Amino acid sequence: MSELQINTTQNVKILFTAAGAGERLLAFVIDTAIKIGYVLVLNWTFGFFENMDEWSQIAINTVLSFPVMFYTLLLESLLDGQTIGKRALKIRVVKIDGYQASLADYVIRWIFRIVDIYIFGIGFFVMLFNKKKQRLGDMAAGTAVIALRDKVNISHTILEELKVDYVPTYPNVIKLSDNDARIIKDTFTAAKLAKDYSTLIKLRNKLVEVVDIKDIKQKTDIEFIDVILKDYNYYTQSM
């Protein structure tokens, strides 16, 4: 599977795994099976409508077919980008610009299903040769479908492991926001792995300025930034 980078509205870069064409196809099969099951139940339950006149049958069939017609649009709107099939496969529709997908985005995707699915399944083949695994509807709406099965551990969040007897050093860290802490941790982690000491120095200097620290008690940049993150977690978890 390919990785998909999403830049959030706070300019935080988040990496997701784009759902593969096979996963999306299987989710589609599940959703289709549900719709077929619905139609079969209707035919069995409302068979007595066969004795009605033709126009009455057409009217009733039209109304009863709405759940099938609007199944995907309705569920994606209500379930935050998922249908039952997508939820089963643990995949979800997201905006690639970091904003929450709107009803208009889901409508665009739903309209393009006519082309993507019902015209030779062209959307499936587009996904196969698309880096972000987007079908035409995704391209038009600015969306993508991501996999949610990635294991998330504490290193992927702003949380830090604190000892029970942890004593904070810099109370002014409460000036930071969760978004600040997330950016700091992402930058800190990347700089440590790359041994980018220049970035670590810049990050420390910026923190000293923003948090208004007069006396740095740690010997190294890494120790100092690590304490800042731990202090932030200590104070915010205590609120």
Side-chain angles (χ1 to χ4, degrees), residues 79-219:
L79 300 181
D80 193 22
Q82 290 184 301
T83 59
I84 296 174
K86 288 185 176 69
R87 179 160 289 189
L89 271 293
K90 296 184 179 179
I91 60 178
R92 168 175 290 156
V93 178
V94 297
K95 288 282 286 183
I96 59 176
D97 61 5
Y99 286 90
Q100 175 69 37
S102 66
L103 177 60
D105 298 316
Y106 295 130
V107 169
I108 292 172
R109 298 183 77 257
W110 177 72
I111 291 174
F112 268 83
R113 288 169 65 84
I114 298 172
V115 177
D116 284 322
I117 297 173
Y118 303 112
I119 299 182
F120 307 113
I122 190 172
F124 178 78
F125 297 102
V126 171
M127 281 189 286
L128 291 177
F129 300 100
N130 185 284
K131 185 178 180 181
K132 296 179 180 179
K133 303 301 180 184
Q134 294 172 295
R135 62 177 176 85
L136 295 178
D138 288 316
M139 295 179 189
T143 59
V145 179
I146 61 169
L148 302 176
R149 291 194 308 276
D150 294 340
K151 294 180 180 179
V152 177
N153 56 46
I154 197 168
S155 66
H156 298 137
T157 71
I158 64 173
L159 299 177
E160 292 287 330
E161 294 180 355
L162 300 179
K163 294 181 179 179
V164 176
D165 59 349
Y166 180 81
V167 178
T169 307
Y170 306 109
N172 280 0
V173 292
I174 58 174
K175 293 182 176 181
L176 300 172
S177 66
D178 282 354
N179 186 54
D180 294 331
R182 186 175 295 107
I183 294 173
I184 292 166
K185 184 166 185 177
D186 288 346
T187 305
F188 179 49
T189 302
K192 278 198 306 180
L193 289 174
K195 295 184 178 180
D196 186 353
Y197 301 112
S198 175
T199 296
L200 290 171
I201 292 172
K202 291 177 182 178
L203 183 57
R204 180 203 63 189
N205 292 338
K206 189 65 177 178
L207 284 170
V208 169
E209 175 188 343
V210 173
V211 181
D212 191 22
I213 297 175
K214 306 299 182 184
D215 180 27
I216 299 178
K217 296 178 170 48
Q218 287 71 39
K219 293 181 180 180

Side-chain angles (χ1 to χ4, degrees), residues 7-24:
N7 297 318
T8 70
T9 52
Q10 291 80 29
N11 292 320
V12 178
K13 296 180 179 179
I14 303 175
L15 287 178
F16 290 102
T17 301
E23 290 176 297
R24 296 181 65 172

Side-chain angles (χ1 to χ4, degrees), residues 47-100:
F48 61 87
F49 286 146
E50 293 178 359
N51 298 323
M52 301 179 68
D53 64 88
E54 182 178 355
W55 287 107
S56 295
Q57 287 186 38
I58 292 174
I60 291 174
N61 289 336
T62 300
V63 172
L64 293 178
S65 67
F66 282 168
V68 173
M69 293 171 57
F70 298 101
Y71 171 90
T72 301
L73 175 60
L74 182 63
L75 288 188
E76 286 186 351
S77 301
L78 295 177
L79 300 181
D80 193 22
Q82 290 184 301
T83 59
I84 296 174
K86 288 185 176 69
R87 179 160 289 189
L89 271 293
K90 296 184 179 179
I91 60 178
R92 168 175 290 156
V93 178
V94 297
K95 288 282 286 183
I96 59 176
D97 61 5
Y99 286 90
Q100 175 69 37

